[in-house]
Amino acid sequence: KINISFKINTSGNVVSIGARAADPKLEAEAKRVVRLLPKMKPGMQQGRAVTVSYGLPIRIKLNE
């Protein structure tokens, strides 16, 4: 299981990427993939752009 957290800032860029996993290599790969996300539309609140936090859990079943 990999838990990824990141924010989309007021410009629509991905910032503050964090990852937690059992293996540092999985954390590094998760961060790499999140950095590849395209620029997004920022969240809006009362007509103004705001930073929005996201959490993304990923479960991987390994066949060993």
Side-chain angles (χ1 to χ4, degrees):
K1 182 176 178 180
I2 307 168
N3 288 315
I4 305 169
S5 61
F6 59 94
K7 294 179 182 179
I8 304 298
N9 67 11
T10 56
S11 300
N13 297 314
V14 178
V15 295
S16 301
I17 302 168
R20 297 193 77 181
D23 188 317
K25 290 180 183 178
L26 290 173
E27 289 179 10
E29 181 63 10
K31 288 179 182 181
R32 185 189 73 80
V33 171
V34 171
R35 278 190 207 98
L36 295 174
L37 290 173
K39 187 169 184 171
M40 299 185 193
K41 186 175 177 183
M44 300 295 281
Q45 190 171 42
Q46 297 178 356
R48 294 173 43 171
V50 294
T51 299
V52 180
S53 298
Y54 288 93
L56 181 64
I58 299 175
R59 290 187 168 266
I60 300 172
K61 184 175 181 180
L62 301 174
N63 294 325
E64 295 182 23

